[in-house]
Amino acid sequence: MTTSTEIGQRGFVHSALFYQSEREYLDFVVRFAADGFAVDEPLLVAVPGDRLAMLGPALCTARAGSDAELRLIDITEVARNPSRLLAMQTAFVEKHPGQSVRMVTQLVWPERTADERLACLEHEALVNGALKNCNVMGLCLYDATHLTDDVLAGARSSHPLLWKGGSAYPSVDYAPDEVLARCNQPLPPNPGAVRYTVRDGADLRPARSFAADYAGWVGLSKDGLDDLQMIATELASNSLQYTGGSCHLAFWRHNEHLVCEARDAGRLEDPFVGFRRPGAHATASRGLFLVNAMADLVRTHTTANGTTIQAYLRLGPSQES
């Protein structure tokens, strides 16, 4: 147990605070930031915009006298798709080589859908392995008064360290591998979907036209249509290149989203594919990284018998920005 946000540990310290009030939220985050600024540690803060408005002035005051970077981000925009957050975190670490950095994130808020919450949980489990060799103090914020019990239970399972009453305790429920297995849920086909099978490279162009026709029919914006065509192309190209078989595309409307699904006979062996910014020659991860960058949500299910990926694009005026 410790009562300070100064934890003497190298590597990734992944902690969660279940806050009960705005005062606790503000006081703890500012103290966490001040401890880092006292030794010139850069700080990334990615929380919803209304929380940024509350935290911003206090964090700027806490930074006085330090040359450390303070980066404030509205997470509802940058990580609307939770799968984008890891690349942003990794980029912040790489921007400060040889330094210890701090990160404050609030990836789950009450308005998140069930599918989005599952993607958030998957990120929180994956980040333990992705940043394990980086000197990062991470603080993840959870609203204990408005989030459901299952969300808080997921946080206890995906964070090795929990804060309560100003003290930090190891989480007895910490089990990130079990969390990832739970997140790898089957994605049943939609019986009402329209379908197109891509068998070889010659099918890619007509597949894009097929996707565009359906997108126009359901009312996807011009920008969204371009994104959909790119997503369908990347998913199908990845299947052709790495599975040696066909890619079965399907499209349907789900509430306020258009869903583009790709099914093939391959297996995703690397759990970080599509989450981390790819290297120069990582073709497969580059394609899936682009899909995550364009989609509002991406869900994946993979087994020894095949992989299904579903990418969601929001319909309506909010798609145009």
Side-chain angles (χ1 to χ4, degrees):
M1 181 183 75
T2 179
T3 56
S4 171
T5 67
E6 292 286 355
I7 299 175
Q9 178 179 336
R10 303 292 288 177
F12 182 38
V13 179
H14 191 203
S15 67
L17 171 69
F18 298 168
Y19 66 91
Q20 301 285 341
S21 67
E22 287 195 359
R23 172 51 57 188
E24 182 183 15
Y25 183 104
L26 179 63
D27 288 349
F28 195 94
V29 173
V30 171
R31 181 160 61 92
F32 180 85
D35 285 345
F37 289 142
V39 289
D40 289 328
E41 291 180 347
L43 174 64
L44 169 69
V45 178
V47 298
D50 61 331
R51 299 295 178 175
L52 281 182
M54 177 178 68
L55 286 171
L59 291 176
C60 290
T61 299
R63 182 174 172 265
S66 173
D67 293 327
E69 178 183 4
L70 169 60
R71 187 179 182 196
L72 303 176
I73 294 173
D74 185 345
I75 201 168
T76 64
E77 294 296 329
V78 175
R80 181 174 66 252
N81 175 2
S83 302
R84 298 177 192 164
L85 181 57
L86 181 55
M88 182 177 68
Q89 292 173 306
T90 303
F92 191 75
V93 172
E94 293 173 347
K95 185 179 179 182
H96 302 282
Q99 288 184 266
S100 294
V101 304
R102 295 195 172 213
M103 298 181 186
V104 176
T105 60
Q106 188 171 1
L107 189 55
V108 187
W109 49 88
E111 293 76 21
R112 286 284 204 187
T113 66
D115 287 331
E116 288 172 342
R117 292 196 297 270
L118 192 64
C120 292
L121 178 59
E122 183 178 36
H123 164 84
E124 295 286 35
L126 280 172
V127 74
N128 292 292
L131 298 182
K132 65 180 180 180
N133 295 321
C134 302
N135 292 325
V136 177
M137 279 281 292
L139 173 64
C140 302
L141 302 167
Y142 287 84
D143 185 346
T145 61
H146 293 98
L147 295 175
T148 58
D149 289 342
D150 63 309
V151 172
L152 301 180
R156 288 191 290 269
S157 299
S158 55
H159 293 77
L161 195 66
L162 305 176
W163 293 96
K164 184 176 181 180
S167 299
Y169 301 83
S171 174
V172 297
D173 299 318
Y174 180 59
D177 290 340
E178 292 179 14
V179 170
L180 290 176
R182 191 162 74 247
C183 290
N184 188 31
Q185 296 183 357
L187 300 171
N190 186 309
V194 298
R195 305 178 188 281
Y196 193 96
T197 299
V198 178
R199 295 180 174 83
D200 55 42
D203 290 327
L204 291 173
R205 184 181 294 274
R208 286 194 294 269
S209 297
F210 185 88
D213 289 343
Y214 181 74
W217 183 68
V218 299
L220 192 63
S221 70
K222 175 62 170 63
D223 288 344
L225 189 151
D226 292 341
D227 288 344
L228 176 65
Q229 289 184 299
M230 181 66 74
I231 287 170
T233 299
E234 293 296 341
L235 291 176
S237 297
N238 189 67
S239 294
L240 294 178
Q241 184 170 359
Y242 290 95
T243 72
S246 300
C247 176
H248 303 282
L249 294 173
F251 307 89
W252 68 89
R253 179 170 181 161
H254 177 71
N255 296 329
E256 298 307 313
H257 290 87
L258 186 155
V259 182
C260 173
E261 177 187 87
R263 291 179 181 264
D264 62 34
R267 181 187 179 103
L268 282 177
E269 300 288 351
D270 183 354
F272 301 114
V273 167
F275 289 84
R276 291 196 289 204
R277 192 175 299 276
H281 304 294
T283 307
S285 59
R286 183 163 58 250
L288 295 180
F289 180 80
L290 288 173
V291 171
N292 270 317
M294 290 179 287
D296 292 285
L297 176 69
V298 177
R299 299 300 304 133
T300 300
H301 176 244
T302 188
T303 70
N305 299 317
T307 295
T308 301
I309 299 175
Q310 294 177 352
Y312 289 66
L313 285 169
R314 189 175 299 277
L315 297 165
S318 61
Q319 180 70 25
E320 301 188 33
S321 57

